[in-house]
């Protein structure tokens, strides 16, 4: 009896996870690939992220993972070690420019917008950190981030 | 600060992208419950974020889900093997065989009738198959050879008998 219940629970959890995977895996894979720039490493991270979600003791993470924003943040945390070891989003750093070349969303942004969006979206840096680094106010940094977001949103609508 | 000014400040974007400070997040979540405009703007931004991600999406290899499933099954199997379960009745009553009773462990058996083995075994099976074919070939060869020799022996014997009878 216990064995059957346990098996049913695992099966239900896996089915829910499969639903999340079907809905979000392409977006997540695209996001991870944009950070790591290697299909094999991106796939490994994707597997690890879903494994971590499934292994949480309660179902709260599973529920939250149905929301893209949560899933993307979860992935960002898991990628933190990798992100800290790669190049910055500084446009002076040629390698970082190459890193995001071919991404039509980022290419429509100017250097400053690209840098702030990249720092926030891919590197998970706070507005305060970026503002200090760029020697500008947090309000201005937030405004630039808002502009970048608006440009990308408009571009997506076209 | 006016609520529209707050929405235009970029804090909402910073929040959905995960770069708002704890203080900003607390403030935003409070305002979200008080002002429908903030809640609507936030929901809209969440959808926009998902839309942007959708445009940058790349389909993962078709085998990736199997890898996810395998890794989860592996962990479940290994943790289930370590799981020791006692029923409430066993907890309350003295069991003299408690130390040696293997029934205290729930036997975990996969529902699937398939068996999972190491990939290395496919080479072993291939080698056994090839060797089997080689031995079969030899067996057929020696059988035919032996039959041929028996025929020759019979012919020789009949020749000898024929010569002797002369």
């Amino acid at each position: 009896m216990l064995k059957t219940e346990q098996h049913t629970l695992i099966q239900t959890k896996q089915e829910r996870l499969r639903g999340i995977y079907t809905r979000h895996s392409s977006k997540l894979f695209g996001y991870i690939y944009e950070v790591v720039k290697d299909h094999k490493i991106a796939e490994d991270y994707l597997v690890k992220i879903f494994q971590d979600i499934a292994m949480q003791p309660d179902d709260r993470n599973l529920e939250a993972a149905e929301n893209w924003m949560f899933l993307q943040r979860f992935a960002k945390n898991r990628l933190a070690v990798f992100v800290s070891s790669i190049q910055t989003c500084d446009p002076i750093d040629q390698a970082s420019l190459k890193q995001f070349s071919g991404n039509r969303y980022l290419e429509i942004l100017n250097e400053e917008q690209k840098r702030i969006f990249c720092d926030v979206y891919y590197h998970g840096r706070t507005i305060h950190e970026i503002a200090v680094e760029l020697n500008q106010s947090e309000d201005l940094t937030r405004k630039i981030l808002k502009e970048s977001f608006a440009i990308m949103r408009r571009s997506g609508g076209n | 600060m006016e609520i529209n000014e707050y929405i235009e400040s970029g804090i909402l974007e910073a929040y959905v992208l995960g770069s708002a400070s704890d203080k900003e997040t607390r403030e935003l979540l409070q305002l979200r419950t008080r002002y429908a405009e903030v809640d609507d703007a936030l929901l809209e931004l969440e959808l926009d974020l998902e839309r942007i991600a959708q445009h940058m999406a790349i389909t993962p290899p078709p085998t990736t889900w199997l890898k996810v499933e395998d890794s989860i099954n592996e962990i479940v199997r290994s943790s289930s093997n370590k799981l020791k379960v006692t029923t409430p009745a066993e907890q309350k009553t003295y069991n003299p065989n408690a130390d040696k009773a293997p029934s205290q462990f729930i036997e975990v058996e996969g529902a699937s009738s398939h068996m999972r083995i190491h990939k290395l075994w496919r080479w072993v099976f291939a080698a056994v198959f090839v060797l089997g074919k080689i031995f079969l070939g030899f067996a057929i060869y020696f059988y035919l050879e032996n039959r041929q020799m028996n025929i020759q022996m019979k012919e020789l014997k009949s020749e000898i008998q024929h010569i002797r009878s002369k």
Side-chain angles (χ1 to χ4, degrees):
Chain A
M1 183 69 183
L2 257 173
K3 199 161 68 176
T4 318
E5 278 175 15
Q6 195 188 21
H7 176 71
T8 313
L9 271 173
I10 293 165
Q11 212 171 19
T12 311
K13 205 170 180 178
Q14 271 196 3
E15 277 165 19
R16 270 184 83 182
L17 197 70
R18 178 75 208 238
I20 296 167
Y21 182 88
T22 308
R23 192 172 157 205
H24 295 305
S25 64
S26 300
K27 285 175 281 188
L28 199 56
F29 191 64
Y31 174 76
I32 299 168
Y33 178 76
E34 209 57 57
V35 176
V36 302
K37 287 289 173 197
D38 181 289
H39 279 103
K40 180 76 186 71
I41 299 172
E43 192 190 4
D44 289 347
Y45 267 110
L46 188 66
V47 172
K48 183 81 180 71
I49 286 163
F50 274 92
Q51 185 190 310
D52 286 353
I53 293 168
M55 289 304 124
Q56 298 296 316
D58 54 34
D59 281 356
R60 270 179 299 178
N61 266 6
L62 208 58
E63 273 172 34
E66 286 172 19
N67 178 299
W68 166 248
M69 203 175 86
F70 170 87
L71 197 59
Q72 191 253 336
R73 281 190 194 178
F74 193 86
K76 198 189 282 183
N77 286 338
R78 289 294 181 276
L79 286 164
V81 178
F82 191 95
V83 162
S84 65
S85 67
I86 62 168
Q87 57 272 32
T88 63
C89 294
D90 189 344
I92 298 164
D93 180 359
Q94 288 302 308
S96 75
L97 284 177
K98 272 185 196 162
Q99 189 193 0
F100 298 106
S101 63
N103 184 324
R104 77 178 174 90
Y105 268 99
L106 289 175
E107 279 174 359
I108 54 171
L109 303 177
N110 67 32
E111 295 305 338
E112 194 179 31
Q113 291 164 340
K114 196 186 291 182
R115 178 175 184 176
I116 292 173
F117 186 84
C118 162
D119 264 338
V120 169
Y121 191 61
Y122 294 113
H123 288 210
R125 300 185 69 197
T126 63
I127 292 291
H128 174 73
E129 286 171 343
I130 302 165
V132 169
E133 196 174 286
L134 296 178
N135 197 23
Q136 63 189 27
S137 72
E138 287 185 33
D139 284 349
L140 180 62
T141 311
R142 262 189 233 103
K143 286 266 183 204
I144 297 167
L145 179 68
K146 187 179 169 60
E147 278 167 23
S148 329
F149 208 88
I151 292 168
M152 291 172 86
R153 179 199 293 181
R154 281 198 297 274
S155 164
N158 293 335
Chain B
M1 191 193 276
E2 284 285 318
I3 203 65
N4 284 336
E5 206 179 313
Y6 180 81
I7 291 169
E8 290 302 312
S9 69
I11 287 181
L12 274 64
E13 282 79 1
Y15 170 75
V16 294
L17 291 169
S19 70
S21 67
D22 290 346
K23 190 184 160 203
E24 285 169 342
T25 303
R26 273 197 303 275
E27 188 186 29
L28 177 57
L29 293 177
Q30 274 179 359
L31 289 172
R32 186 180 195 173
T33 56
R34 279 170 53 197
Y35 296 97
E37 302 97 300
V38 176
D39 190 43
D40 290 346
L42 219 45
L43 285 173
E44 191 59 38
L45 280 175
E46 283 177 20
L47 286 174
D48 283 336
L49 185 68
E50 192 167 349
R51 236 170 271 144
I52 289 171
Q54 187 67 57
H55 281 278
M56 295 180 185
I58 302 169
T59 309
T63 53
T64 309
W65 172 249
L66 292 176
K67 288 181 186 172
V68 172
E69 219 171 28
D70 280 354
S71 69
I72 294 167
N73 287 340
E74 195 61 44
I75 294 167
V76 169
R77 250 196 309 276
S78 60
S79 59
S80 299
N81 286 339
K82 288 175 199 161
L83 186 69
K84 188 182 175 183
V85 179
T86 52
T87 63
E90 280 172 337
Q91 284 169 356
K92 283 174 191 166
T93 54
Y94 171 69
N95 181 0
N97 295 323
D99 291 339
K100 50 188 173 183
S103 58
Q104 272 190 323
F105 293 92
I106 289 182
E107 192 191 340
V108 178
E109 197 178 86
S112 168
S113 57
H114 291 75
M115 192 173 74
R116 284 157 48 83
I117 53 170
H118 197 279
K119 280 179 180 172
L120 189 74
W121 280 98
R122 72 178 158 191
W123 298 113
V124 176
F125 288 135
V128 168
F129 180 77
V130 170
L131 282 173
K133 291 283 177 199
I134 292 168
F135 288 137
L136 183 67
F138 274 118
I140 291 167
Y141 172 77
F142 284 117
Y143 167 74
L144 293 173
E145 190 86 342
N146 187 44
R147 202 172 64 166
Q148 190 66 27
M149 280 176 70
N150 280 339
I151 293 166
Q152 283 176 350
M153 286 270 283
K154 275 181 190 168
E155 282 174 2
L156 279 171
K157 275 181 187 172
S158 61
E159 263 181 54
I160 290 166
Q161 278 176 353
H162 185 69
I163 292 165
R164 277 182 186 166
S165 62
K166 278 183 181 176

